[in-house]
Amino acid sequence: MYMRGRRLRFIAVAAMVVLALTGFSSGGDRGDSSQDGSDGGGCSSSSQDHDGSTPRGSDPLGSSSPGSPNGEPHDSGTSNDHSGDAPQPTPTTSPSSSTAPPLKDGTAVLVHCASLEDPYGTVEISNPNGRDAVLNVKVSFADRNGAVLIDTGTQVSVPAKGKTTYRVPATSRYTDKIAQCEVDPVATAVW
């Protein structure tokens, strides 16, 4: 009698175990079929969110920044502006022309007067300055009575502390009447 009761209890426990395993298996198959059905016409969890919750790490207002919970840009504390590292050029001052001493006027001397055979008046110009200068020379050509036929002025470049011989042209319809020449002894400094 005692052995029969133990056998019945063992059969009952075995039946419960079989039912439990059978029910778990059928429930698992049901879950697989529901997942398979979602591939055909259901909603995909990768494209839509049905529970309305906001994914972690994103800002509901549309702005997100890694490392900043409030959507503000994260400041790493470093700057890429290196403009302060480059040495600033030192302004150079060139000597102004106003600081140079003013040029002195030169002198002009008549060497040869113009004639019909040589229609040029030859003048020698001297520069007393310590640098090259441009001097203005005035020459006039007159007839025997002293009437001026040609009055001309020209600018001549003369080296520093030097002299230059310059030929002033006197070619005109009055060349054959030229009898005398006059040179302004002051050759005005131009620059």
Side-chain angles (χ1 to χ4, degrees):
M1 185 68 181
Y2 176 75
M3 294 295 295
R4 186 179 180 183
R6 290 187 60 184
R7 183 179 299 175
L8 291 176
R9 185 180 301 175
F10 176 77
I11 293 173
V13 171
M16 292 178 61
V17 170
V18 171
L19 289 175
L21 291 176
T22 304
F24 178 77
S25 176
S26 61
D29 295 340
R30 190 180 301 111
D32 293 340
S33 62
S34 63
Q35 290 179 359
D36 294 339
S38 62
D39 294 339
C43 297
S44 175
S45 60
S46 61
S47 61
Q48 294 183 4
D49 188 4
H50 296 281
D51 58 0
S53 61
T54 303
R56 296 180 61 186
S58 62
D59 189 355
L61 298 179
S63 62
S64 62
S65 173
S68 177
N70 297 327
E72 299 179 355
H74 181 67
D75 186 7
S76 62
T78 59
S79 175
N80 294 328
D81 186 8
H82 300 286
S83 59
D85 298 338
Q88 298 298 325
T90 303
T92 57
T93 56
S94 58
S96 175
S97 59
S98 61
T99 60
L103 288 172
K104 298 178 182 180
D105 294 335
T107 58
V109 178
L110 179 65
V111 177
H112 177 72
C113 188
S115 63
L116 187 60
E117 293 78 13
D118 184 16
Y120 290 91
T122 305
V123 182
E124 184 181 76
I125 307 107
S126 300
N127 177 19
N129 299 282
R131 57 190 176 95
D132 296 350
V134 175
L135 306 177
N136 188 44
V137 181
K138 294 181 180 180
V139 181
S140 60
F141 302 93
D143 59 11
R144 293 181 181 272
N145 299 322
V148 177
L149 302 173
I150 303 172
D151 192 7
T152 182
T154 184
Q155 294 181 356
V156 182
S157 177
V158 185
K161 301 291 184 178
K163 296 180 180 181
T164 296
T165 301
Y166 185 77
R167 287 167 58 84
V168 182
T171 54
S172 72
R173 58 180 181 171
Y174 303 113
T175 302
D176 58 341
K177 296 180 180 182
I178 294 176
Q180 53 183 326
C181 303
E182 184 177 354
V183 178
D184 189 342
V186 179
T188 307
V190 179
W191 53 270

